[in-house]
Amino acid sequence: HLRKIYFWMFLQSLSYIKKDFNLLKSLGANSCRISIERSKIEPRVGQNNNNEIRHYYNVINELFANIIEPILT
């Protein structure tokens, strides 16, 4: 059973992400919906933005580190 807590966040840097996800965990959340914006990871057809890919990778790993299930949209 997934507990829903609606929590708006603007994910900029990993330090904010860690604080936000710690807050989610302290509120009892066990899942978090995040959206992956295709235009950020592939700004042009066939051209990948590795910095954005790494950012999303870090976000998802931080969720797992806090035992929060990422729900990707």
Side-chain angles (χ1 to χ4, degrees), residues 9-24:
M9 63 182 110
F10 184 68
L11 303 175
Q12 284 270 354
S13 72
L14 196 54
S15 64
Y16 287 122
I17 291 168
K18 288 181 180 191
K19 290 177 187 175
D20 289 341
F21 292 163
N22 280 331
L23 177 59
L24 276 177

Side-chain angles (χ1 to χ4, degrees), residues 46-69:
Q47 179 186 15
N48 294 328
N49 183 336
N50 290 329
N51 289 333
E52 286 298 320
I53 293 169
R54 192 173 308 110
H55 171 75
Y56 284 116
Y57 176 84
N58 288 335
V59 168
I60 292 166
N61 277 337
E62 192 60 33
L63 284 168
F64 283 131
N66 283 285
I67 313 171
I68 299 172
E69 179 183 0

